[in-house]
Amino acid sequence: MYYLKTSSSFDSAHFLSGYDGKCKNIHGHRWVIEVRIKGKELQKSGNEKGMLTDFGNLKKTVRDLAESFDHSLIYEKNTLKPSTIQALEDEDFRLIEISFRPTAENFAHYFYDILSADGFGLADVTVYETPDNCAVYGEEC
């Protein structure tokens, strides 16, 4: 089996509503999305001969995904008051509402689902919340 791995990062803030600990407060991370794809055979001809896939295509896809979350406040739907959202929008803050609690585990699954639709033969997705702490999601996990 062949594996390729690439990563990209983004900076954003989040909080864990209903959590009894420090992470209930808004705080930021440099999130890292690490993607590993797999395949049994390399391309036999053409521009990608001898490759699983073109690294450039994989890197661009992962980078675009990371950039879509960069420098934002990510929050779970129904965890902020409408007046709070409005006040933040009035200040031109970039807000991203998601349907799940913004944990590394949930992001790993979420990014896996998005990237698996791109046909790369996804093995797993690792999301680092800090340099030492990460969550991994994949069918083989």
Side-chain angles (χ1 to χ4, degrees):
M1 186 71 66
Y2 294 97
Y3 293 92
L4 295 181
K5 184 167 52 172
T6 192
S7 64
S8 191
S9 62
F10 64 97
D11 297 309
S12 71
H14 77 139
F15 63 96
L16 301 181
S17 179
Y19 180 74
D20 185 24
K22 293 190 306 184
C23 293
K24 69 181 176 183
N25 294 304
I26 294 174
H27 61 285
H29 294 287
R30 165 149 290 193
W31 300 88
V32 176
I33 306 169
E34 186 177 271
V35 175
R36 196 168 64 119
I37 64 169
K38 64 181 179 176
K40 289 184 180 183
E41 296 186 24
L42 302 178
Q43 301 292 325
K44 295 189 183 335
S45 62
N47 194 47
E48 295 182 13
K49 181 180 177 182
M51 300 176 187
L52 191 55
T53 192
D54 186 331
F55 256 122
N57 295 334
L58 178 61
K59 289 188 319 186
K60 181 181 182 332
T61 299
V62 176
R63 185 176 55 246
D64 289 349
L65 179 58
E67 286 179 2
S68 72
F69 283 87
D70 196 37
H71 284 79
S72 64
L73 170 58
I74 302 167
Y75 68 98
E76 182 180 6
K77 184 177 184 170
N78 298 321
T79 60
L80 289 175
K81 296 175 186 174
S83 60
T84 302
I85 294 169
Q86 187 60 56
L88 292 168
E89 288 175 344
D90 288 347
E91 296 292 336
D92 290 327
F93 284 102
R94 186 161 182 264
L95 306 175
I96 298 178
E97 180 184 86
I98 56 177
S99 62
F100 54 87
R101 195 180 213 189
T103 63
E105 296 90 338
N106 283 331
F107 273 126
H109 189 173
Y110 177 75
F111 294 146
Y112 181 93
D113 288 348
I114 290 172
L115 293 167
S116 64
D118 286 332
F120 282 113
L122 204 53
D124 52 50
V125 173
T126 303
V127 174
Y128 285 85
E129 200 175 77
T130 70
D132 298 322
N133 299 305
C134 66
V136 180
Y137 182 84
E139 291 181 12
E140 300 157 1
C141 294

